[in-house]
Amino acid sequence: MAGSGGCRRGREQLELERLGEAARAGSCPPSPPLSACSRQAWSRDNPGFEPEEEGAAAAAAGPVLEMDVEWGSPAAGASSPLGSGAAGPGGGGRRQRRVPAGRGGTEVPGRHQVPPDGAAPHRAAWAKRLARRLRGLWGTRLMEESNTSRERYLKSVLRELVTYMVFLVVLCVLTYGTVSSSMYYYTRVLSQLFLETPVSKMEKTDFKTLSTMDDFWKFTEGPLLDGLYWEMWYNNKTMAENKSFIYYENLLLGVPRIRQLKVRNGSCSIPEDLKDEIKDCYDVYSVADEDTAPFGLRNGTAWTYTNEKDLNGSSHWGLIATYSGAGYYQDLSRNREMTAVQIASLKKNLWLDRGTRAAFIDFSIYNANINLFCIVRLLVEFPATGGLVTSWQFQPVRLIHYISTFDFFLAACEMAFCLFVLYYMVEEILEIRIHRLHYFRSLWNCLDILIIVLSVAAIGISIYRTSTVDTLLKKLLEDQNSFPNFEPLAYWQMQFNNIAAVTVFFVWIKLFKFVNFNRTMSQLSTTMSRCVKDVVGFAIMFFIIFLAYAQLAYLVFGTQIDDFSTFQDCIFTQFRIILGDFNFTEVEEANRILGPIYFTTFVFFMFFILLNMFLAIINDTYSEVKSDMAQQKAEMELSDLIRKGYNKAMIKLKLKKTAVDDISESLRQGGGKLNFDELRQDLKGKGHTDAEIEAIFTKYDQDGDQELTEHEHQQMRDDLEKERDLDLDRSSLPRPLSSRSFPRSLDDSEEDEDEDSGHSSRRRGSSSSGVSYEEFQVLMRRVDRMEHSIGSIVSKIDAVIVKLEAMERAKIKRRDVLGRLLDGVTEDERLGRDNEIHREQMERLVREELERWESDDTASQMSHRLGTPLGLNGQPRSRNSRPSSSQSDGIDGGGGGGGNNIHV
C-alpha cells in the first residue's frame, strides 16, 4: 500500500514537473525522472523510452548512443554538489543513459547522430542472431559455462556424441569400403607364384631360400620369366600379341625393371698385416660409399649410374640397410624371348659382382575384374658377409575410382568426411579461443587435435594419389614399352593405409570420452588415472630389470640364436617368454651355464614377482574406485537423460500412461462436476486402490459434498499437470552413483595429479558431497508443495481454534443466562412476588435455550455422519479437519449444566 501510494504521489509530481518544463522549454521532449516508480510511470506515458535494466537487452537492440540527460531546474542542476553522478536535493542533476540507435528523439549536439530509420539496428540484430545460431552448431560441453545445469550439460554431450557417432560411421565406411578380401587373395596368389616356385624341377630352392648369386640368376631365368610372361594357354594356343596376362587375368603393365646398388672398392680399411693377401675391400652399404662409376660394358643404363632424381625413385628400407632410389637399371621387354636375352647378357658380363649390395626387381600388374593394381617389388640384399637375404613387397592399390555405384557412394562419404573434418577444425578453434592454453591440459583435447591432423594428412595423400595416377596412366598408354613407375604411389598408399589405420584406432579410442559418463564404464578410466603414479614407478623398476636381462641375452646368445641376434629382437623375445612362448633348448645349447641361469632368474623375477606386483596395483586401485563410487551421491547420467526423453515422447504419443494421466482422463470424462463414486469406479478399473482414490478426492473436496465443483475440478487439473512434470523430473534422477555432481573443469585433472594415488580416492569420495542442480530443483519443488500443504493445514487449524473460542464464549453466555434465571428465582422468593408469572417467564427462557442446544446437537450429529464438522454458525468444515474433543465436551458440558440449572 505504501509503495502504491508513493507511486501515485510520484506520478502527480511528475505531471506537475512535466507541465512546468513544457511551459519553460516549449517543445522540448520530457526527460525521465530519478525515482523508480516515477520512471515506470514516465515510461508508460512515453512509449519511446525504455528503462535500462539489463545491459544485454540494450545491446541486443543494436548500436547505442551515450547521452547526457538533464532534468530538474537548471539552477539546481548547476549548483548540485554531487556532480553528474547523482541528483541534488532540488532534484537537479545529470544522468547518463543509453538510447538505442534508430529510435525517435532529439539529436544531441556533439554526439553521434542517430540514424533516421531502424534498418541498421535490425540488420545488426539479425546478424547477431544468425551468428548465435551458427555458433550453436558447435556447442560442446567445453563451450558451456561453468554454472550450466547438469541436464543442459548432458544435452550438449549427447548432441556431441550423436555427431561423433555419425562421423565414426562415415570414417568406417570409407576405410573398410576401400579394403576387401579380394586384396588378400590377390597378394596370396602372386606371392605363391613368385616366392614359392622352385628355381628348377631338380631343386627345391625358391626365392625365399636363395643363398648365392648363382641362385639369383637361376631365379630370374626360371620362375621370374615363367611368372611374368603368360603367352600360351594350357592347350598351347598363343594369347594376345605383346600382352601378358598373369594367371590369364592380370595384365602386366609396361615392362619390368631390374636395378642394383653397389659400393666402391676401397670403401673399407684393410689391416697392414693383410694388405698383401687382400687387395679389394667392399664396405657395408651406405649412400656415402655408393659406387657411381661405369663398369662392365660401360654403355646403356645397366652399366652406367643414374641418380635418384632422374629415376624418380625413393629410398627403400631393407632388412640390412636403407637403400636409395638410384643405381644401375635395365628395363626388360614385353615378350619372354627378348627378356631372356637381356638377362643372359647381364649374367654373362658379370652385372652382379662383389660390390653389389642390393638388386631390385620391380613390375606392376592390373586386374580389371576387381579394379586393383598390384605394385610388386622383390629385393635381394647382398650383405658384406657374403650370401644374400631376400625380402618382398606386394602392394594392392585401388587407383581408379568412381566406376561402380558403390564407388559413387564412397565419393559421397568422402565429401561428408571432409565436411566433418572442417566442422571439427572450427570446433577446436573455438574451444582453444575460449580456454587458451588450458585447453591442451586435457588428454582428450590433444587426441582431438591429433585426429584432425591425421585426417587432413590422409585427405592430402588421397588427393595427391588421385592426381598422380592419371598422369602415370597417360604416359603408360602413350608408350607401353616403358616402365610404369608406380613405386611412389605404392609408398604413399602404404602411408595412407597406416594413417587411416591409426586414425580409425584413435577415433574408436575417443569413444571412452563419452562412455565415461556412465558409472560402470568410468571405472576403467578412473582406475587408470588414479594408479598412474604407481604404474609409472613400477614401470621404471620393471624396465631397469628387463633391459638388464635383454643386454645379458644379447651379449651371451646374440651370435648363436636368431631370436637374440639384435638388441631389438632380444626385447621382443623376452616379452614372448613372459607370455609363455620360448625355446629353452636353444638357450641351453648356446650356453650351458648362463643359459639356464638366465632363463630361470628371468622367469622368477619378471613373471612371479613384477608381473604380480603390477596386477596387485591395478586390483587395489580398482577396489578403491569401486568402494568410493558406492559412497558417492547420485546424479543425472546420459542414460537417464535418454530415458527421460523416451518417457516424454511415449507420453506425448499416448503410448504410455501414468497415474496422473488416468486421473486426468477421468476428470475429462466427468465433465464439469465429478462424483466420488464415479471417480472411484473409474480408477479402480484401472488398478488403483481405494486408499489412493479417497486420498486424492478428499484433498480437493473442500465442501464435503462428495462432488468436485468447477473450481475444485480446475485446481485438481493444475496440480495434476505439476505432478506430471514432477514425475518426469523424478524419473530422470539417476539410480547409479557417479564421481562428480557437475562437469569436470579443465583444472580438475591438475588437482587429481597433485594428490597421492594411495589416498586420493578416499579424499575424493569424502569431498564430493555437493548436490546436483536437477536434484536441487526437484527438492525445491517438493518443498514448495510441502509448504503449500502445511499452509493449508495451518489455516484449517486456525479456523478450528477460532470456532473453539466462539464456542467457549457461547458457554460463558449460557452460564450467565442460567445464573440470571437462578438469581431471579431467588429474588422472587425473597420478595414474595407472584411465582406463577415469573415461572412462566423462566420456563419460556429455558425452553428457548433448550431448543437452541437441541438444534446444535442435531447439526453436530449430522456433521459427524457426513464427516464435516460444523462450527458455531452452521458453516461446514473441511473433511480433512477432525472435530476437536473440546468442542464436543463443551456441547455436552453445556447440556449437562443446563439440565442441572433447570432442575434447580
Side-chain angles (χ1 to χ4, degrees):
M1 296 294 294
S4 61
C7 288
R8 285 196 297 269
R9 288 194 297 272
R11 191 180 308 170
E12 295 172 357
Q13 183 180 1
L14 173 65
E15 295 294 335
L16 295 176
E17 290 177 359
R18 186 185 304 172
L19 292 175
E21 291 176 0
R24 290 192 300 270
S27 59
C28 293
S31 302
L34 277 174
S35 63
C37 57
S38 300
R39 289 176 62 197
Q40 295 173 1
W42 192 88
S43 62
R44 285 193 295 268
D45 296 334
N46 298 270
F49 173 79
E50 291 184 1
E52 45 172 350
E53 295 183 1
E54 291 292 334
V64 296
L65 300 177
E66 298 291 340
M67 301 179 62
D68 293 334
V69 183
E70 298 183 4
W71 61 86
S73 63
S79 61
S80 174
L82 300 177
S84 62
R94 296 176 61 87
R95 178 178 178 86
Q96 190 177 33
R97 68 184 182 94
R98 299 168 66 90
V99 179
R103 297 184 182 273
T106 306
E107 296 182 0
V108 181
R111 301 288 181 183
H112 297 287
Q113 299 297 324
V114 180
D117 56 355
H122 286 303
R123 287 194 298 268
W126 179 83
K128 290 183 178 179
R129 288 195 298 270
L130 180 61
R132 285 196 298 269
R133 291 181 180 180
L134 289 177
R135 184 169 180 176
L137 296 176
W138 284 274
T140 62
R141 67 199 181 286
L142 290 181
M143 297 182 188
E144 297 290 345
E145 298 179 358
S146 58
N147 57 351
T148 303
S149 66
R150 177 72 177 179
E151 183 174 356
R152 183 177 177 183
Y153 174 77
L154 289 179
K155 286 181 179 178
S156 299
V157 173
L158 182 60
R159 180 176 60 179
E160 188 178 359
L161 174 60
V162 172
T163 306
Y164 188 76
M165 290 301 297
V166 176
F167 169 72
L168 178 60
V169 170
V170 172
L171 179 60
C172 290
V173 169
L174 280 179
T175 52
Y176 297 127
T178 57
V179 179
S180 65
S181 58
S182 300
M183 291 185 173
Y184 167 73
Y185 293 114
Y186 197 19
T187 56
R188 192 184 72 171
V189 296
L190 292 178
S191 61
Q192 289 175 349
L193 177 62
F194 292 100
L195 304 181
E196 300 178 7
T197 304
V199 294
S200 65
K201 296 181 179 180
M202 304 299 297
E203 301 181 27
K204 295 183 180 181
T205 304
D206 54 18
F207 182 81
K208 295 180 179 179
T209 58
L210 298 180
S211 59
T212 62
M213 288 185 181
D214 186 45
D215 292 338
F216 173 80
W217 290 116
K218 289 180 181 179
F219 169 77
T220 55
E221 294 174 341
L224 180 62
L225 292 180
D226 295 337
L228 287 176
Y229 301 101
W230 292 56
E231 297 177 350
M232 302 290 292
W233 283 93
Y234 55 85
N235 60 356
N236 295 327
K237 289 186 178 180
T238 59
M239 300 179 63
E241 186 178 359
N242 292 331
K243 290 185 179 179
S244 174
F245 285 89
I246 301 174
Y247 281 117
Y248 311 113
E249 301 290 347
N250 306 283
L251 176 64
L252 178 64
L253 299 176
V255 297
R257 171 176 290 179
I258 183 171
R259 176 173 62 94
Q260 73 157 327
L261 288 170
K262 302 178 62 177
V263 293
R264 62 178 179 269
N265 187 12
S267 56
C268 56
S269 301
I270 303 175
E272 293 292 337
D273 298 337
L274 299 176
K275 281 187 177 181
D276 295 337
E277 302 294 334
I278 301 175
K279 302 296 183 182
D280 300 327
C281 181
Y282 298 89
D283 200 356
V284 296
Y285 175 82
S286 66
V287 177
D289 296 331
E290 195 171 302
D291 189 5
T292 59
F295 72 102
L297 301 179
R298 297 179 178 271
N299 58 354
T301 57
W303 310 98
T304 58
Y305 182 82
T306 306
N307 57 37
E308 183 175 328
K309 182 178 180 181
D310 294 338
L311 284 177
N312 192 23
S314 60
S315 60
H316 181 87
W317 186 17
L319 297 178
I320 298 177
T322 300
Y323 304 97
S324 68
Y328 307 86
Y329 73 94
Q330 174 67 55
D331 288 339
L332 304 179
S333 302
R334 291 180 59 84
N335 57 72
R336 180 187 179 95
E337 291 75 12
M338 294 183 62
T339 301
V341 172
Q342 291 173 328
I343 293 177
S345 176
L346 295 177
K347 179 181 178 182
K348 179 181 179 181
N349 293 283
L350 201 62
W351 190 62
L352 299 180
D353 56 14
R354 290 184 58 189
T356 302
R357 288 294 174 260
F360 298 85
I361 302 174
D362 298 313
F363 58 93
S364 302
I365 58 178
Y366 173 71
N367 190 310
N369 301 331
I370 55 178
N371 189 26
L372 281 179
F373 290 81
C374 188
I375 304 169
V376 182
R377 167 164 287 183
L378 305 177
L379 173 61
V380 180
E381 298 178 73
F382 300 90
T385 58
L388 53 86
V389 179
T390 59
S391 59
W392 52 89
Q393 178 179 306
F394 295 88
Q395 185 64 47
V397 187
R398 191 183 301 276
L399 298 178
I400 301 177
H401 299 279
Y402 317 126
I403 296 178
S404 62
T405 305
F406 184 73
D407 291 339
F408 287 104
F409 171 72
L410 291 180
C413 292
E414 289 175 354
M415 296 176 61
F417 177 76
C418 295
L419 292 177
F420 270 112
V421 172
L422 180 62
Y423 171 83
Y424 282 118
M425 288 177 65
V426 176
E427 177 182 298
E428 301 307 318
I429 290 173
L430 291 177
E431 292 180 355
I432 293 174
R433 182 182 178 185
I434 293 174
H435 298 283
R436 306 293 180 181
L437 295 179
H438 292 272
Y439 173 85
F440 297 97
R441 296 185 180 181
S442 173
L443 179 63
W444 295 116
N445 296 336
C446 297
L447 183 61
D448 293 338
I449 297 296
L450 179 60
I451 290 175
I452 292 176
V453 171
L454 292 175
S455 301
V456 172
I459 293 173
I461 293 176
S462 180
I463 294 174
Y464 169 78
R465 182 188 59 190
T466 305
S467 60
T468 304
V469 68
D470 295 335
T471 305
L472 291 176
L473 290 177
K474 184 178 180 180
K475 291 181 179 179
L476 177 62
L477 293 176
E478 291 176 354
D479 185 8
Q480 298 185 5
N481 292 320
S482 62
F483 169 72
N485 190 9
F486 287 102
E487 191 272 332
L489 283 179
Y491 170 79
W492 287 113
Q493 179 64 33
M494 185 181 298
Q495 303 307 317
F496 176 82
N497 294 341
N498 296 335
I499 292 176
V502 174
T503 303
V504 172
F505 172 78
F506 284 133
V507 167
W508 278 101
I509 290 297
K510 189 184 171 183
L511 281 180
F512 281 103
K513 179 180 181 181
F514 304 100
V515 173
N516 285 341
F517 287 95
N518 182 273
R519 174 179 175 270
T520 304
M521 299 298 180
S522 63
Q523 291 181 357
L524 173 62
S525 60
T526 306
T527 301
M528 297 304 297
S529 62
R530 291 192 183 182
C531 69
V532 61
K533 291 184 178 179
D534 292 337
V535 170
V536 170
F538 167 79
I540 294 175
M541 178 178 59
F542 175 85
F543 281 106
I544 288 176
I545 301 176
F546 188 85
L547 294 178
Y549 274 102
Q551 295 182 33
L552 172 64
Y554 176 64
L555 296 175
V556 175
F557 315 115
T559 59
Q560 303 178 49
I561 303 177
D562 179 62
D563 291 338
F564 297 93
S565 58
T566 63
F567 186 72
Q568 296 85 349
D569 290 339
C570 291
I571 294 176
F572 293 124
T573 303
Q574 290 188 158
F575 278 117
R576 289 167 54 192
I577 293 175
I578 293 177
L579 297 176
D581 181 15
F582 56 87
N583 189 343
F584 176 74
T585 304
E586 290 185 348
V587 175
E588 186 181 20
E589 291 177 354
N591 195 310
R592 295 184 179 180
I593 298 177
L594 294 180
I597 294 176
Y598 158 80
F599 182 81
T600 304
T601 56
F602 177 81
V603 171
F604 177 77
F605 284 108
M606 303 302 297
F607 186 79
F608 290 103
I609 296 181
L610 294 180
L611 185 60
N612 284 281
M613 285 181 60
F614 175 75
L615 297 178
I617 293 172
I618 300 296
N619 189 33
D620 182 61
T621 308
Y622 179 77
S623 301
E624 291 182 357
V625 170
K626 197 170 183 180
S627 61
D628 289 346
M629 286 188 174
Q631 298 174 2
Q632 291 169 359
K633 69 175 196 64
E635 65 178 4
M636 179 179 283
E637 296 181 356
L638 275 179
S639 57
D640 303 307
L641 181 64
I642 296 173
R643 189 183 302 109
K644 178 181 178 181
Y646 172 77
N647 291 334
K648 284 185 176 180
M650 295 296 290
I651 292 174
K652 289 183 178 180
L653 294 175
K654 309 297 184 181
L655 299 177
K656 182 179 181 181
K657 290 186 178 181
T658 61
V660 177
D661 295 325
D662 294 336
I663 299 174
S664 300
E665 185 178 353
S666 300
L667 291 178
R668 285 193 298 270
Q669 295 175 357
K673 286 190 176 182
L674 185 65
N675 187 275
F676 174 74
D677 294 332
E678 296 175 356
L679 178 65
R680 179 175 176 274
Q681 183 178 0
D682 190 12
L683 293 183
K684 278 185 69 66
K686 296 178 180 179
H688 299 278
T689 62
D690 290 335
E692 295 175 349
I693 301 171
E694 185 175 358
I696 189 65
F697 194 88
T698 304
K699 178 179 179 182
Y700 297 98
D701 186 17
Q702 300 293 333
D703 52 6
D705 57 355
Q706 299 293 311
E707 282 190 355
L708 296 180
T709 63
E710 189 68 30
H711 175 71
E712 296 169 345
H713 199 168
Q714 185 61 36
Q715 182 179 0
M716 194 175 191
R717 284 178 177 274
D718 297 339
D719 290 347
L720 289 176
E721 291 297 329
K722 296 178 182 178
E723 185 69 22
R724 179 183 287 108
D725 297 337
L726 189 61
D727 287 342
L728 290 176
D729 292 338
R730 190 183 299 113
S731 64
S732 67
L733 285 178
R735 290 172 299 279
L737 306 176
S738 58
S739 58
R740 291 182 180 267
S741 303
F742 287 92
R744 290 185 58 147
S745 62
L746 291 174
D747 297 331
D748 290 344
S749 58
E750 297 178 359
E751 298 176 1
D752 294 343
E753 292 176 356
D754 294 338
E755 297 176 350
D756 181 72
S757 60
H759 305 280
S760 59
S761 60
R762 298 184 180 86
R763 289 198 294 269
R764 290 191 193 97
S766 60
S767 63
S768 59
S769 59
V771 179
S772 66
Y773 180 77
E774 286 71 23
E775 282 185 313
F776 178 75
Q777 292 295 327
V778 173
L779 293 176
M780 284 293 295
R781 295 179 189 175
R782 292 179 180 175
V783 171
D784 292 340
R785 293 182 60 194
M786 187 181 298
E787 289 178 352
H788 176 72
S789 302
I790 293 175
S792 176
I793 294 173
V794 170
S795 63
K796 294 176 181 178
I797 292 175
D798 292 338
V800 171
I801 293 174
V802 171
K803 292 178 181 179
L804 289 176
E805 291 176 353
M807 292 174 63
E808 187 67 25
R809 290 193 298 268
K811 285 175 61 177
I812 294 173
K813 183 178 179 180
R814 291 169 183 171
R815 190 179 295 113
D816 293 340
V817 171
L818 293 176
R820 287 197 302 269
L821 290 175
L822 292 176
D823 292 341
V825 172
T826 305
E827 185 68 21
D828 290 341
E829 291 179 352
R830 188 175 61 83
L831 297 177
R833 295 178 180 176
D834 188 1
N835 294 332
E836 291 297 331
I837 299 174
H838 188 73
R839 187 183 299 276
E840 290 178 359
Q841 294 177 354
M842 184 180 66
E843 288 178 355
R844 179 170 50 81
L845 293 175
V846 170
R847 192 179 298 111
E848 292 177 357
E849 192 69 22
L850 287 174
E851 289 177 356
R852 187 182 301 113
W853 290 351
E854 289 176 357
S855 63
D856 291 343
D857 291 340
T858 303
S860 177
Q861 292 174 3
M862 291 295 295
S863 64
H864 275 298
R865 283 196 294 269
L866 296 176
T868 54
L870 299 177
L872 271 177
N873 300 326
Q875 297 294 332
R877 292 210 315 269
S878 172
R879 287 185 59 172
N880 295 344
S881 59
R882 297 189 298 177
S884 63
S885 60
S886 61
Q887 180 179 351
S888 59
D889 293 342
I891 294 175
D892 297 338
N900 294 333
N901 292 334
I902 291 171
H903 180 68
V904 173

